[in-house]
Amino acid sequence: MDNLKPEDRRKNMQNIRSAGTKLEERISKALWKRGVRFRKNEKSLPGKPDLSIKKYKLVVFLDSCFFHGCPEHFIAPKTNADYWVPKIDRNKRRDQEINALYNEMGWKVMRFWEHEAKRNLDDVVDSIVKAIGEQRQNK
């Protein structure tokens, strides 16, 4: 049973952002400090990646544990399951399709779970910087 009234649940859901999240900002600032220049939420690219570097054909997605069905943290909601379960399944399929599309285009796709970036911000930033170096060599 949902412990919020419908109008409170609605407000809660409206406040969930798809771009400019705190996590995205933390990673962006850390990359910027290391001299990495990028675009955020580039609309011209498929899937509107959280971060993209066209020069090195690299896109980064920061996937929410709930909305993308993290195998470690996702718990299907008990209320409105007829809506949420198919929605999360669609999101997972779309993520796979986007990955395949970028791979066909010769781009490197990096996906990080929300919990990974929260626990190990430096590790996530290090792996992005390392991938940039690899893409630079492959150019």
Side-chain angles (χ1 to χ4, degrees), residues 74-119:
F74 178 71
I75 298 170
K78 291 177 178 41
T79 58
N80 207 9
D82 292 342
Y83 170 78
W84 284 110
V85 172
K87 172 154 182 60
I88 303 303
D89 288 342
R90 277 194 317 271
N91 289 351
K92 289 178 179 179
R93 279 194 310 276
R94 186 180 62 241
D95 291 345
Q96 291 172 345
E97 291 167 4
I98 293 295
N99 288 353
L101 181 61
Y102 278 112
N103 288 333
E104 288 171 15
M105 294 171 18
W107 285 59
K108 179 165 180 66
V109 179
M110 299 186 80
R111 286 192 177 272
F112 298 98
W113 288 111
E114 168 187 20
H115 70 267
E116 288 178 304
K118 284 181 179 177
R119 282 186 204 152

